[in-house]
Amino acid sequence: MWKNTSEKYGLTAILIHWLSALIVFGLFALGWWMLTLTYYDEWYRLGPWWHKSFGITLLIVTVLRVLWTLINTKPKPLGSKFERLGAKAGHFLLYLLLFTVMISGFLISTADGSSISVFDWFSVPAVITDLPKQEDIAGDIHWYSALSLVILAGGHGLAALKHHFINRDSTLIRMFGKTKRKS
């Protein structure tokens, strides 16, 4: 139930997948909205606190996801050889962009030497603070990689829908813990 099989994803992979998707799209929406806030807006300070807390949460979840993927069985890939190659490349890019967004966000937030409070439960200390123009460069990287991540994640979702409605295979339903698609 918790582990993957050769036919379907287990509950652990499913929960991590959908939690990651929710956090990614939520963080993107919050980040975009934060760009519109003025100094006197109550959310001017509160928004970044939530954004950073969920960003660190996503980093922890993503590291656990990578470890889970490395030690767990993967369901057999579906689709043509070209689709399987595209899926591998797409997943690699998703992970690369995830880590790029999270590391650049960390570098923005800690550029002045401040730690990041995670929901006031614990703090993550700054480890790199002396790079020239660290906050500005990391900010540009953060924005463009986040935008790219959301676009690629949208394409990932569209590819799953293509498999479901056009190919009529079980690619999508496996991410809901099912093995066979009902015709």
Side-chain angles (χ1 to χ4, degrees), residues 13-28:
I14 293 168
L15 290 173
I16 290 173
H17 175 270
W18 293 112
L19 178 63
S20 297
L22 182 66
I23 294 173
V24 164
F25 284 101
L27 283 173
F28 187 79

Side-chain angles (χ1 to χ4, degrees), residues 79-144:
S80 69
K81 188 174 184 177
F82 176 74
E83 287 172 323
R84 291 192 308 269
L85 182 62
K88 275 189 188 254
H91 283 106
F92 174 79
L93 279 173
L94 283 169
Y95 282 112
L96 180 65
L97 287 168
L98 273 166
F99 282 110
T100 301
V101 170
M102 293 181 288
I103 291 167
S104 61
F106 177 79
L107 291 174
I108 296 166
S109 300
T110 60
D112 65 356
S114 300
S115 61
I116 297 174
S117 171
V118 181
F119 302 113
D120 290 335
W121 296 338
F122 63 93
S123 291
V124 179
V127 291
I128 300 173
T129 59
D130 56 352
L131 298 174
K133 298 184 179 181
Q134 177 174 328
E135 193 171 10
D136 295 333
I137 294 169
D140 287 343
I141 292 169
H142 190 68
W143 168 249
Y144 289 110

